[in-house]
Amino acid sequence: MARAAALRPLLREHAGRGETERVVPARVVDALGEAGVFRLLTPRRYGGLETDLRTLTEVSETLGAADGSSAWTGMIIAVTNWLACLFPDKAQEEVFGADPDARVTGVAAPTGTAEKAPGGWRLSGRWSYNSGFPYATWAAVGALLKDDGAVVDQALVLIPAGDLAVEDAWHMAGMKGTAGNTLTAQDVFVPEHRVLSLPATAEGARVRSHTEETLYGSTFGPMLLLCLVGPFLGLGRAALDTVREAAAVKPLSFTTHSRQADSVGVQIQVAQAALKLETARLHTYDAVDAVDRAAPSGPLDYPARAHIRAQAGYAAQQALGAIEILPAERARLVRLRRHAPAPAHLARRRCRGPARGPGPGRRPGGVRQVTPGRRRACEPHGLTGPSRAAAPPEPFPLLRRMAAWLPPRDDVPPRPTGGPHLRSGCCPRSRNSCGMA
């Protein structure tokens, strides 16, 4: 934990670069490796730390308070290294024997297929959202095993990173540094010892010989679910700390408060967010400790697994809810959603798709008007077409934002839908206009 905390200044320093380059900087990855983050769940016999799920969660929460992308990448590699240690000893030796600092990433979703072949399987498929792969040496990907065209099992397959191709598909509003691109494989041979049955593993079957290493007896499903919550907790804590620091020195607009911290309303919002984060942590670590306690004795029963799944989902909801309560962070979320880049097919539809007649945002000729915001979203795809005149500045932007938070009123007569003073669709609570003219 001390080494993870010492990394936070470095992570903060390079967080912006990771978002710009859409990959965690190499210097940060090297520092994570030197601190032992990737080896948290690797066996001691291979030079790992062989800790437990609680330690992984605490470390990823600490890192997440500095940079979400770095925390997520470190967590993914650490837990996928744990997955690799569930394979037969021969596969473990191939991964960690020659390289104790091996980094495994992967996608467990069975979006690939493997056909039976002499001595193993022929693997093909596509696996989306594979975080951290630019620095991986191996990948563990999900596949359906087929024999004579019939599915016989669902498996996790270990494959060297060099045998996979990468499709650049990770274009998101945030967490860009995780580099969650798509992996592809075409007819790659995988030997039998690098294929692990997921249904059997989930029910507690073990094919490894080192049974004294109780960490690898942790219940499969809860382990892979709870590991994801740590970065959420860290991001929530970072948002809360940011707002609290700003509230001590920043005035509250349109009031007499010289500090936001003097406002009862801000105090209530910060308190509510803090309690939501505390609730999230209590549920998370209660579930994490249950998984760690059960590791030596075998997998948890179904009621316990269901309870842990509920706790993990509720904890994530509470962390997100805390961020949405905080005033500054809520405004940041709105900006992210407004300026998030659209995928090419959606941008094309939004910018130049055929119109079915006159309507909001369309010119009488059926061509949609390209506003400056829409132009910014479409320019990366070359979809803006001929230059158009910029839209006039929006009148009363603050009032429009305030109106968006008010409940709809039935006693207000409908406004006229024409005229330059109305902005179609600007208010989510009104069909035709914001009604602020």
Side-chain angles (χ1 to χ4, degrees):
M1 281 298 300
R3 282 181 282 179
L7 290 176
R8 286 185 294 190
L10 177 68
L11 268 58
R12 291 192 187 100
E13 177 186 352
H14 292 277
R17 181 183 166 193
E19 292 294 291
T20 301
E21 298 179 357
R22 296 192 300 119
V23 65
V24 175
R27 182 178 175 186
V28 172
V29 173
D30 291 342
L32 293 173
E34 292 171 1
V37 173
F38 302 139
R39 292 182 286 111
L40 282 171
L41 304 183
T42 303
R44 293 189 184 93
R45 55 191 166 90
Y46 289 126
L49 301 178
E50 199 176 326
T51 58
D52 51 24
L53 180 56
R54 186 182 183 92
T55 302
L56 174 65
T57 306
E58 291 175 341
V59 168
S60 59
E61 179 185 359
T62 300
L63 298 177
D67 177 35
S69 291
S70 298
W72 188 266
T73 300
M75 174 274 298
I76 287 293
I77 292 177
V79 79
T80 317
N81 281 358
W82 175 84
L83 275 176
C85 296
L86 304 183
F87 281 74
D89 295 351
K90 185 176 180 180
Q92 296 179 46
E93 188 65 26
E94 289 179 354
V95 175
F96 298 106
D99 181 14
D101 292 320
R103 300 166 185 167
V104 188
T105 65
V107 178
T111 54
T113 57
E115 298 285 349
K116 187 64 179 175
W121 304 82
R122 309 294 305 191
L123 177 69
S124 299
R126 300 175 75 256
W127 298 270
S128 300
Y129 313 126
N130 189 96
S131 302
F133 188 74
Y135 299 106
T137 55
W138 289 78
V141 295
L144 297 177
L145 305 184
K146 292 185 176 182
D147 192 0
D148 292 332
V151 175
V152 295
D153 202 355
Q154 178 183 342
L156 201 64
V157 179
L158 268 177
I159 184 169
D163 291 347
L164 295 164
V166 181
E167 292 182 3
D168 187 2
W170 188 248
H171 301 276
M172 301 296 166
M175 300 281 286
K176 300 177 185 177
T178 59
N181 291 306
T182 300
L183 303 182
T184 63
Q186 185 62 43
D187 200 34
V188 176
F189 177 75
V190 181
E192 191 71 47
H193 64 273
R194 285 202 259 120
V195 177
L196 180 70
S197 171
L198 283 184
T201 302
E203 295 306 315
R206 296 292 180 262
V207 294
R208 59 196 316 277
S209 60
H210 294 272
T211 56
E212 74 282 359
E213 297 170 341
T214 58
L215 169 63
Y216 310 100
S218 301
T219 310
F220 186 80
M223 184 80 173
L224 296 185
L225 176 66
L226 288 168
C227 68
L228 307 176
V229 184
F232 292 173
L233 300 178
L235 288 167
R237 189 172 71 186
L240 180 62
D241 291 343
T242 299
V243 171
R244 291 176 61 182
E245 292 171 5
V249 296
K250 187 176 180 180
L252 188 61
S253 301
F254 306 107
T255 73
T256 59
H257 294 301
S258 60
R259 302 187 317 150
Q260 292 181 356
D262 297 329
S263 166
V264 174
V266 172
Q267 294 169 11
I268 291 174
Q269 289 176 320
V270 170
Q272 289 174 334
L275 288 174
K276 281 183 174 291
L277 287 174
E278 184 177 348
T279 299
R281 295 188 82 254
L282 289 171
H283 279 287
T284 298
Y285 287 105
D286 179 71
V288 162
D289 290 341
V291 172
D292 286 339
R293 285 195 302 268
S297 57
L300 294 161
D301 58 23
Y302 282 107
R305 296 186 214 181
H307 184 65
I308 287 174
R309 176 173 287 273
Q311 285 182 297
Y314 188 70
Q317 288 177 341
Q318 293 299 300
L320 178 59
I323 296 174
E324 290 178 335
I325 285 175
L326 296 169
E329 296 306 311
R330 182 173 62 221
R332 186 177 303 175
L333 285 174
V334 171
R335 289 195 299 272
L336 281 174
R337 290 166 182 164
R338 184 178 301 160
H339 299 294
H345 69 286
L346 294 181
R348 183 177 296 110
R349 184 181 306 164
R350 181 171 62 185
C351 300
R352 299 180 66 182
R356 289 176 290 182
R362 298 190 181 100
R363 295 182 182 273
V367 179
R368 300 184 185 184
Q369 182 177 0
V370 180
T371 64
R374 185 171 292 160
R375 176 174 295 280
R376 285 193 296 270
C378 302
E379 278 173 351
H381 309 287
L383 301 172
T384 54
S387 177
R388 301 182 186 272
E394 179 182 353
F396 310 116
L398 177 61
L399 293 178
R400 179 186 65 78
R401 294 189 182 96
M402 292 171 62
W405 293 97
L406 297 176
R409 293 180 56 186
D410 298 330
D411 58 336
V412 178
R415 299 275 183 169
T417 58
H421 59 286
L422 296 181
R423 304 263 313 163
S424 176
C426 64
C427 177
R429 296 189 179 275
S430 174
R431 288 186 176 180
N432 298 317
S433 70
C434 65
M436 297 303 299

